[in-house]
Amino acid sequence: MDIVTGSSTALITPFKNGKLDEQKYADLIKRQIKNGMDAVCPVGTTGESATLTHDEDIRCIEIAVEVCKGTGTKVLAGAGSNATHEAIETAKYAQKCGVDAIFSVSPYYNKPSQEGLYQHYKAIAEAVPELPFMLYNVPGRTGVDILPETAIRLFDDVNNIYGIKEATGSLERTTALLSQRPDFKVFSGDDAIDYPILANGGAGITSVTSNLMPDLKSELVRLALSGDFAGAKAINDKLYPLNSVMFCEANPIPVKAAMYIAGLLDTLEYRLPLVAPSVENMKKIEEVMKNYDIKGM
């Protein structure tokens, strides 16, 4: 099974007049490829997946596969839902589209038990047994935490579950997982702690900030995975102010605003209930961005 590791970007979803801007989406993915990212992740949290229609969700995955075909950049597609049957349907379609792997966010709102999480993920992964499968743990968003023992149980029991995107903000969580299962692929889901997670044995990152800075983010991961921890730390430290301001409001509000300021987006549009940043936060984002060389299209 050819798994996905290394640097990946949690893609934003560009809108124009309320609809998916397909050409801009393709162009943004081409920019990720050009700047060395190992994978792109359509329809995750940063892609406003919770407010995309099913057709939009599928179209984003299709475009990502079309653009990445024949390049070295893989597609790690989102296939999550708080309804297991819906997640299975999306996973099967993603497989049909030709994605390289899928990640699936923990069910939100209904707050299942650890046994419920186990059965949920087992059902989705076993519906696409030949497709590499990554768990996605972001309890601050979903209200439920995939505990280490549950993640390890899934890794042990289900052949195609190979890793987890950890967005708990906890370095201890990475240690808890890798000390027990060194082959379990842990991805950093928090930009500010990419370096320490990689230095502790993490296999990659899924980044919000790399929508803006794919060149530095891909280099950070390349250096860390090749053993140049001093070089990786220097980049992580340099990016800290930008990583911080990207979460001054709920993701993806700041990163979309930053991309608009940088000229990477023609329009600044969100899906309600998300709205543009406050005037104060917009100024903060603009000020921080002055310290970085953001590559154009």
Side-chain angles (χ1 to χ4, degrees), residues 188 191-200 220 224 228-230 232-233 236:
S188 169
D191 280 284
I193 56 173
D194 284 349
Y195 162 72
I197 285 181
L198 291 166
N200 196 40
L220 186 163
D228 184 353
F229 295 118
K233 184 179 185 299
N236 201 82

Side-chain angles (χ1 to χ4, degrees), residues 248-267:
C248 65
E249 293 191 28
N251 178 43
I253 292 172
V255 71
K256 270 193 154 180
M259 292 174 78
Y260 177 69
I261 293 165
L264 297 170
L265 292 178
D266 303 323
T267 59

Side-chain angles (χ1 to χ4, degrees), residues 21-22 31 41 65 70 74 134 139 148 151 173 175 185 189 258 268 280 284:
D21 187 342
E22 295 191 7
R31 179 174 173 267
C41 304
V65 171
K74 296 183 176 181
M134 179 172 279
R173 182 60 61 90
T175 303
K185 305 303 181 188
L268 183 56
E280 181 185 37
K284 280 184 191 174

Side-chain angles (χ1 to χ4, degrees), residues 66-147:
E66 288 164 11
V67 175
C68 291
K69 190 174 182 180
T71 74
T73 301
K74 296 183 176 181
V75 178
L76 175 60
S81 174
N82 60 343
T84 306
H85 66 91
E86 285 186 4
I88 288 172
E89 183 183 345
T90 303
K92 284 182 174 179
Y93 196 87
Q95 182 179 43
K96 195 180 297 182
C97 286
V99 305
D100 297 284
I102 58 174
F103 68 99
S104 187
V105 71
S106 52
Y108 41 88
Y109 188 76
N110 38 22
K111 297 181 79 170
S113 65
Q114 293 300 305
E115 181 62 27
L117 287 172
Y118 174 84
Q119 296 298 340
H120 170 81
Y121 279 119
K122 187 171 185 285
I124 306 167
E126 288 183 344
V128 286
E130 293 165 7
L131 197 60
F133 190 103
M134 179 172 279
L135 312 172
Y136 174 16
N137 191 30
V138 57
R141 287 271 186 174
T142 64
V144 65
D145 187 2
I146 309 170
L147 296 179

